[in-house]
Amino acid sequence: MPLGLRKKKNKSRESSNLVENEEVSGHPGVGKSAVNGGGVGGLPAPPASLRPKLVFHTQLAHGSPTGRIEGFTNVKELYSKIAEAFNLSPDEILFCTLNTHKIDMEKLLGGQIGLEDFIFAHIKGIKKEVEVYKTEDALGLTITDNGAGYAFIKRIKEGSVVDGVKVICVGDHIESINGKNIVGMRHYEVARMLKELPKDQSFTLKLMEPMKAFEMLEPRSRGGGGGGKSSGEGKIGTGRETLRLRSKGPATVEEMPNEFEEKAVKKVDDLLESYMGIRDTELAATMVEVGRDKKNPDEFAMALDQALGDFAFPDEFVFDVWGAIGDAKQGRF
């Protein structure tokens, strides 16, 4: 259907999964040989015989022995494997970062994991309840989620309403808005709720910040990075293949994204933030994949409706995404 006519609808234990006495410079306890594999996706898992036989190394971000995990094909299974390795409940895990223990939103585990990436799991820490007075239509928040029911703050815009509330930090999980429990909601639903809060009124957020080791405590970050970089950090993973994590269907091992894919996904992710107040590299990658061989914006719009019927994308957003994919194909970024 052409555009404009579419209808949118803390405890650790020694076990066989823990690796003792391994170290990598910059973060004690991390295995010297980085990682050999992993996986994530979204719906019913395929038979065990079809699952990638890959092994990842993992650690709790605030400090722990190193664990080995394997045999997972989606985010929930990944969290269960990490929880099993460290004798935790999967519900304790807020999100994961790759190759850094810091709360670095540019290193979030998203739609792809390099076959030599090291996974750091950030678990629940301190609870906070904050009252915010909404003086502007936009709060200045970008929301993402972990793919397993927890939405959290990915970015805080400098000078925004929320930037003035210093106890609200990047990485905080939003548990409730004005007493309404939002656990289980997707990030775009949470972003919509925050956007629809009335101006010139107060609202209450219940938040859960990630647990931090004492030496990790530092001023909050507004967005991308997580504070200074230690030597070698972000260079643990070196694999040229990646595990593509899908919200629907099994995980697949693919070549690392090429220059077109990387540029297009970044631009589409930026458009998602601009139009919808969310960041989601998996969603952006899916949109780029859908639009790769489409010949015009109407064909692209119909394909998006088929692939992503849960999202109500504005027509102007679809046009801009189509343009971004075209620019990437032509190397105009």
Side-chain angles (χ1 to χ4, degrees):
M1 190 176 295
L3 284 170
L5 300 178
R6 293 175 293 124
K7 295 183 180 177
K8 302 280 190 175
K9 1 175 219 187
N10 298 323
K11 306 152 238 171
S12 68
R13 61 176 172 84
E14 310 291 7
S15 77
S16 59
N17 287 331
L18 296 183
V19 181
E20 298 184 50
N21 301 321
E22 290 189 325
E23 238 178 44
V24 161
S25 122
H27 198 73
V30 182
K32 280 183 181 175
S33 58
V35 193
N36 296 318
V40 198
L43 276 184
S49 60
L50 298 181
R51 299 186 184 196
K53 301 297 183 183
L54 304 170
V55 178
F56 279 102
H57 282 73
T58 184
Q59 194 176 63
L60 300 181
H62 65 281
S64 75
T66 299
R68 286 188 294 255
I69 54 173
E70 60 182 312
F72 55 90
T73 60
N74 57 60
V75 170
K76 289 186 178 180
E77 287 184 3
L78 167 63
Y79 287 4
S80 293
K81 293 291 185 179
I82 295 174
E84 182 182 343
F86 297 110
N87 196 25
L88 299 168
S89 165
D91 291 341
E92 289 293 301
I93 301 173
L94 294 179
F95 56 86
C96 295
T97 50
L98 299 176
N99 305 320
T100 179
H101 63 287
K102 294 185 177 182
I103 302 171
D104 185 341
M105 295 293 107
E106 296 302 319
K107 302 293 179 63
L108 275 178
L109 186 154
Q112 293 177 327
I113 306 178
L115 297 193
E116 294 191 359
D117 281 342
F118 196 104
I119 301 173
F120 289 89
H122 298 255
I123 68 172
K124 290 180 177 179
I126 299 171
K127 284 189 175 184
K128 303 181 285 192
E129 185 168 327
V130 186
E131 186 172 291
V132 181
Y133 188 75
K134 188 175 183 182
T135 56
E136 304 289 342
D137 291 326
L139 291 169
L141 286 178
T142 297
I143 307 299
T144 190
D145 67 51
N146 66 358
Y150 288 167
F152 55 93
I153 298 170
K154 185 167 185 179
R155 184 171 298 164
I156 297 173
K157 184 178 180 182
E158 187 173 2
S160 65
V161 172
V162 170
D163 189 38
V165 186
K166 298 306 180 185
V167 295
I168 301 177
C169 300
V170 168
D172 285 355
H173 160 50
I174 304 174
E175 287 191 331
S176 72
I177 302 172
N178 281 338
K180 178 177 175 57
N181 189 313
I182 63 165
V183 173
M185 286 188 176
R186 292 303 310 274
H187 52 326
Y188 54 89
E189 297 174 298
V190 177
R192 187 182 303 123
M193 283 184 64
L194 291 169
K195 188 173 183 179
E196 291 174 352
L197 290 169
K199 186 178 172 182
D200 296 324
Q201 291 187 28
S202 295
F203 64 94
T204 301
L205 295 176
K206 285 188 178 179
L207 306 168
M208 175 76 70
E209 69 177 41
M211 184 176 292
K212 304 180 182 74
F214 180 76
E215 64 273 15
M216 289 170 59
L217 296 176
E218 50 191 46
R220 78 173 184 185
S221 169
R222 289 192 178 91
K229 295 182 180 179
S230 60
S231 62
E233 191 167 71
K235 297 181 181 178
I236 298 176
T238 57
R240 297 307 303 161
E241 288 187 314
T242 182
L243 195 72
R244 173 72 186 277
L245 317 179
R246 304 174 187 275
S247 58
K248 296 182 180 180
T252 55
V253 177
E254 303 175 356
E255 291 297 313
M256 291 289 283
N258 58 33
E259 187 178 10
F260 153 70
E261 291 167 332
E262 287 182 345
K263 289 180 177 179
V265 169
K266 184 181 184 306
K267 180 62 176 177
V268 174
D269 202 24
D270 290 343
L271 289 169
L272 281 168
E273 181 177 23
S274 175
Y275 277 92
M276 302 178 69
I278 64 173
R279 302 287 292 193
D280 189 328
T281 53
E282 181 192 350
L283 175 59
T286 299
M287 297 181 79
V288 170
E289 192 174 281
V290 166
R292 182 190 297 271
D293 60 349
K294 299 302 178 288
K295 297 180 175 59
N296 57 64
D298 283 337
E299 186 179 337
F300 175 53
M302 289 190 291
L304 279 184
D305 279 350
Q306 287 184 327
L308 300 166
D310 291 341
F311 291 83
F313 296 120
D315 286 347
E316 57 271 25
F317 169 76
V318 175
F319 275 118
D320 284 351
V321 170
W322 169 254
I325 294 172
D327 286 344
K329 286 179 180 178
Q330 299 299 319
R332 289 197 288 263
F333 286 153

